[in-house]
Amino acid sequence: MSRGSLRTVVTALSLLAALPAAAGPGDHIRVGDAEIIPSVRTAFDFHSNVYQGNSSEAADTNGDGVPDGEDNVVAAPFWSIRPAAEIKLEGPWVILSFTGGYGVRVYIDTEPKDSFKVGQLNRFNDFDFSLGTQILPNRTIGFKINDRFDVQNTPTTLHGDGVESANVNVVHVGNDLDGGLVIRPGSALDIGVLGTLSFDTYRLPKEYQDAYPELLRAEALGSLNDRLNFGPILNGTWRFLPKTSLVGGASVNWIRWSENLIPEWAGGADGNVGEVIAKPDGVAWRTQWGVKGQVSARLAVAGEVGYGQIYYDEQSVLDFNSTLSSALAASDSDLEVLGEENYARDLVSFKEGLLLNLAATYTPLRGQTITLAYRKDFQDVLFSNYSAFNAVTLRYDGKFRERLVVGAEYAMRLDRYHGEIARGDVSHRVKADVAWLFTRYMSASVGGGWNARYCADAGCVDPNNPQITYTQTQYDDLWGQVGLTFTY
């Protein structure tokens, strides 16, 4: 999203919020058929590992890629504030849903005399919004548009007075847009003839730019890489029972990267994987079909099964390398295609291409739900060809006496990366929170949790090359939070 577009969205929300409406705190704002729900949340957090570092990994205080012998597991608190807005509009011609917010995070340096300057992790650019629009929702031919934009910050282990960057986060900016025609031959059948267009950018701190200037050529943005995805989508929903539907669809997606060679340190390897990592363009296709329905008054289930593949174009790497000057071009040894894991590897096996998406929601009592979900899927990734992953989530949500809200969640994901970087990562997320609704417009919450990522292979060793390990990808982070939310 451009700065001009961002200013337009913010200005529109400000004008809507300023319009007169007969509403008090907690009643929301109503303008015609639209309901606007502004909110502000402020909180104090404490994290045991703000750099997401590994206790066995020495810190690199000079930003030169060489460990300096210092543990980089650092605990620190931070203060955050997030104004947000939700807009709902449901009319005969248009149905619209919008949610968005802007966040600030300021770290508090409780040990100002040590070598860690946690203020370099401050965030002033967290922003996200999602938009869903249906035009002519009850007509034989209508339109739909869905858009999701976000800015995500991931901390690096850069720190200290020797670091020139004012901010040491890797900043990912992404936007996913899809939309098109919706054809309704009957009241129970919707057919979508759609398209998708998305982009991703990855911006780096100055120290990483200086480490490999010949490949990080977008100096103005400090960009590691940019990705563009596009392609057609065909999907359908048949509501053959009042609360049960058959769903299905198919898509083709072309993947284009601006840089088909990136620095070797982007892969997280401790050993030598060569001077550069190849990141080829590709094309993916998938199809998935299933059923969603209410089995009983207390149980809802959804299940989809499908298959897909990704084909990578190794020639895109060679063509990109040919555009570099002789002083910057990768060597023949760096571009060799050897062994099972290399940048020419495609996702074509049945085991990796099998898609599953299963979920069940159980409501034992009014106001309480338990959700169990499992997903098997694949995706293109930044530092290798692709990841084939499995993810499980278990969540409980409960509301008691209209004022006490309780939530708890556990999620686990196993990623198997393939390409020049071949490794397995196991991620865990545990969180629990309790909120008390003092009034319709103010609530307080207390929560905490644990985030972690571990190597899935013994000793963090590359299964195809025992000389390469990935210990620097591991971390544990315990956290706690207290916060207040105000809703108009």
Side-chain angles (χ1 to χ4, degrees):
M1 169 179 276
S2 67
R3 292 184 178 178
S5 299
L6 176 58
R7 284 195 296 268
T8 301
V9 171
V10 173
T11 301
L13 292 176
S14 301
L15 289 174
L16 285 171
L19 287 174
D27 293 330
H28 312 321
I29 300 170
R30 300 183 185 277
V31 181
D33 293 329
E35 181 182 32
I36 306 168
I37 310 173
S39 64
V40 176
R41 176 171 175 80
T42 184
F44 281 95
D45 288 60
F46 180 85
H47 281 245
S48 67
N49 189 353
V50 293
Y51 290 97
Q52 295 184 355
N54 181 1
S55 59
S56 65
E57 174 196 353
D60 175 16
T61 58
N62 296 317
D64 57 4
V66 180
D68 297 326
E70 186 176 9
D71 190 354
N72 61 7
V73 176
V74 179
F78 63 80
W79 168 76
S80 64
I81 186 168
R82 176 182 165 83
E86 181 179 358
I87 301 175
K88 301 177 182 178
L89 173 63
E90 188 165 350
W93 300 99
V94 176
I95 297 175
L96 181 144
S97 174
F98 172 91
T99 59
Y102 169 74
V104 172
R105 180 181 294 189
V106 179
Y107 284 80
I108 302 168
D109 197 342
T110 58
E111 299 287 343
K113 294 183 179 181
D114 66 12
S115 61
F116 294 90
K117 307 301 178 185
V118 296
Q120 293 169 325
L121 292 170
N122 290 344
R123 304 180 184 179
F124 301 101
N125 63 339
D126 284 347
F127 177 73
D128 65 86
F129 76 79
S130 60
L131 172 69
T133 305
Q134 297 182 53
I135 302 172
L136 303 176
N138 301 312
R139 302 299 190 271
T140 303
I141 296 180
F143 303 88
K144 67 182 294 185
I145 299 173
N146 295 301
D147 192 41
R148 168 71 184 174
F149 174 88
D150 65 348
V151 180
Q152 299 175 349
N153 287 264
T154 302
T156 69
T157 55
L158 297 170
H159 66 84
D161 292 328
V163 176
E164 296 183 21
S165 296
N167 188 285
V168 296
N169 294 299
V170 174
V171 182
H172 168 231
V173 179
N175 192 88
D176 296 296
L177 171 68
D178 63 73
L181 284 174
V182 179
I183 303 170
R184 303 180 182 92
S187 60
L189 179 63
D190 293 354
I191 300 172
V193 183
L194 314 170
T196 184
L197 176 66
S198 66
F199 72 83
D200 299 89
T201 68
Y202 299 85
R203 303 178 192 173
L204 297 171
K206 182 179 186 300
E207 280 67 26
Y208 286 118
Q209 300 173 45
D210 293 342
Y212 230 110
E214 59 267 37
L215 287 177
L216 304 179
R217 297 184 297 169
E219 296 180 1
L221 294 177
S223 179
L224 173 64
N225 220 336
D226 300 328
R227 174 173 57 190
L228 182 67
N229 293 342
F230 56 92
I233 302 172
L234 179 66
N235 59 30
T237 301
W238 177 37
R239 295 174 290 277
F240 65 96
L241 291 174
K243 294 184 178 181
T244 305
S245 301
L246 290 175
V247 297
S251 65
V252 180
N253 189 227
W254 283 269
I255 307 162
R256 297 292 179 264
W257 291 89
S258 65
E259 312 292 317
N260 295 113
L261 291 169
I262 60 175
E264 51 83 18
W265 44 256
D270 299 317
N272 180 26
V273 294
E275 290 295 314
V276 292
I277 298 172
K279 181 58 236 179
D281 296 336
V283 58
W285 70 269
R286 67 179 67 210
T287 183
Q288 202 160 335
W289 302 82
V291 62
K292 297 180 180 180
Q294 193 78 28
V295 176
S296 68
R298 295 183 178 182
L299 180 64
V301 298
E304 294 179 79
V305 62
Y307 183 72
Q309 295 177 326
I310 308 180
Y311 291 91
Y312 285 96
D313 178 17
E314 58 268 28
Q315 188 62 40
S316 64
V317 176
L318 303 177
D319 292 343
F320 177 82
N321 191 58
S322 69
T323 66
L324 302 176
S325 67
S326 58
L328 303 181
S331 66
D332 292 340
S333 61
D334 272 332
L335 297 179
E336 282 185 306
V337 178
L338 299 173
E340 180 182 354
E341 296 288 356
N342 54 68
Y343 64 89
R345 173 162 178 154
D346 301 321
L347 189 157
V348 293
S349 72
F350 177 79
K351 179 181 178 181
E352 291 183 340
L354 177 65
L355 307 173
L356 295 172
N357 197 357
L358 310 173
T361 300
Y362 180 60
T363 307
L365 297 171
R366 182 180 178 183
Q368 300 185 46
T369 60
I370 300 171
T371 302
L372 176 63
Y374 168 72
R375 183 182 174 196
K376 182 183 183 300
D377 209 331
F378 57 79
Q379 66 184 86
D380 181 70
V381 295
L382 171 67
F383 55 84
S384 195
N385 282 23
Y386 64 89
S387 165
F389 66 87
N390 292 266
V392 177
T393 303
L394 176 62
R395 179 164 182 84
Y396 166 78
D397 292 284
K399 189 172 185 179
F400 303 87
R401 296 188 177 182
E402 301 301 321
R403 289 187 180 273
L404 180 63
V405 180
V406 178
E409 180 180 276
Y410 169 71
M412 186 276 289
R413 173 166 162 158
L414 169 63
D415 283 272
R416 282 289 178 185
Y417 299 102
H418 296 283
E420 280 204 84
I421 297 297
R423 74 174 201 236
D425 288 353
V426 180
S427 302
H428 299 276
R429 183 180 74 249
V430 177
K431 67 176 183 178
D433 55 80
V434 177
W436 181 262
L437 309 178
F438 290 101
T439 67
R440 287 188 300 174
Y441 58 88
M442 184 179 74
S443 65
S445 64
V446 178
W450 171 62
N451 298 321
R453 183 174 65 229
Y454 299 131
C455 295
D457 302 300
C460 288
V461 174
D462 185 326
N464 298 278
N465 189 342
Q467 304 301 315
I468 299 175
T469 58
Y470 297 98
T471 57
Q472 63 178 283
T473 65
Q474 298 184 88
Y475 74 89
D476 283 275
D477 181 27
L478 292 169
W479 61 273
Q481 181 190 81
V482 294
L484 283 173
T485 302
F486 300 88
T487 304
Y488 190 81

